[in-house]
Amino acid sequence: LDVGAEALQRGVDGLSYLLAESSKLMISETDFQDSVHVLGFSDELNKLLLQLYLDNRKEIRSVLSELAPKLPSYHNLEWRLDVQLASRSLRQQIKPFVTLKLHLSESGDQTAQVLQTDPSTLLHLIQQLEQALGEMKSNHCRRIVRNMK
């Protein structure tokens, strides 16, 4: 090829990135051709890359799905409010705690995580989650999510 090893490695990395991202997003033939056309390759090479993409798209997606981390999913939530009213040293105190038991399922196996927090931290967590959900409704996030599909 009369090309250095580093240049060849960058070419292989670029080609594998192009095929992986195109397969992940399941882009159409015309979108793939537009993406490759910008790179400045000849028409013959563009057609070869398109054929390579179309022939191996499903196999690349299956390999990517196997490599993706398997995250546990929500199954159930139990909660309890505990209040400590007094102790030996302090006879009149109110110390509330919220205990959460989060049931998760992963590949058919169920696990439980027990979490304990005070109500103010729980309210802050709820506010942060509501803020994140509100941001998902913004136009910017909608465009990103639409392009990810």
Side-chain angles (χ1 to χ4, degrees):
L1 292 175
D2 201 25
V3 176
E6 187 176 315
L8 185 62
Q9 181 65 41
R10 284 195 307 247
V12 169
D13 289 344
L15 181 61
S16 54
Y17 179 78
L18 173 70
L19 292 174
E21 289 299 313
S22 300
S23 299
K24 190 187 308 181
L25 298 173
M26 285 297 285
I27 63 175
S28 65
E29 292 180 30
T30 56
D31 290 338
F32 185 82
Q33 286 175 333
D34 291 342
S35 300
V36 174
H37 182 71
V38 173
L39 298 174
F41 296 137
S42 66
D43 289 339
E44 183 181 325
L45 186 57
N46 289 346
K47 289 178 184 176
L48 286 172
L49 286 173
L50 175 63
Q51 192 60 41
L52 180 69
Y53 166 67
L54 293 175
D55 291 343
N56 297 309
R57 170 172 51 187
K58 291 180 183 175
E59 185 177 345
I60 293 171
R61 283 185 63 81
S62 68
V63 168
L64 288 175
S65 68
E66 290 174 9
L67 294 175
K70 305 289 189 234
L71 299 174
S73 61
Y74 169 81
H75 182 69
N76 194 12
L77 176 71
E78 298 175 37
W79 63 276
R80 181 178 73 212
L81 178 65
D82 296 324
V83 179
Q84 182 178 357
L85 298 175
S87 66
R88 288 183 184 178
S89 59
L90 293 171
R91 293 186 185 249
Q92 291 189 1
Q93 69 175 358
I94 297 178
K95 203 172 174 182
F97 289 104
V98 178
T99 304
L100 305 167
K101 188 173 185 181
L102 183 62
H103 297 273
L104 304 171
S105 59
E106 181 177 12
S107 304
D109 299 331
Q110 288 193 1
T111 59
Q113 298 289 327
V114 178
L115 310 166
Q116 189 174 35
T117 185
D118 58 311
S120 62
T121 304
L122 184 60
L123 286 175
H124 177 70
L125 179 64
I126 291 170
Q127 289 171 351
Q128 292 297 312
L129 290 172
E130 286 176 348
Q131 181 182 357
L133 285 173
E135 288 178 12
M136 282 300 296
K137 294 178 182 176
S138 71
N139 289 333
H140 180 69
C141 285
R142 284 186 196 163
R143 266 187 307 229
I144 292 172
V145 169
R146 191 172 349 131
N147 289 331
M148 287 175 58
K149 291 179 183 178

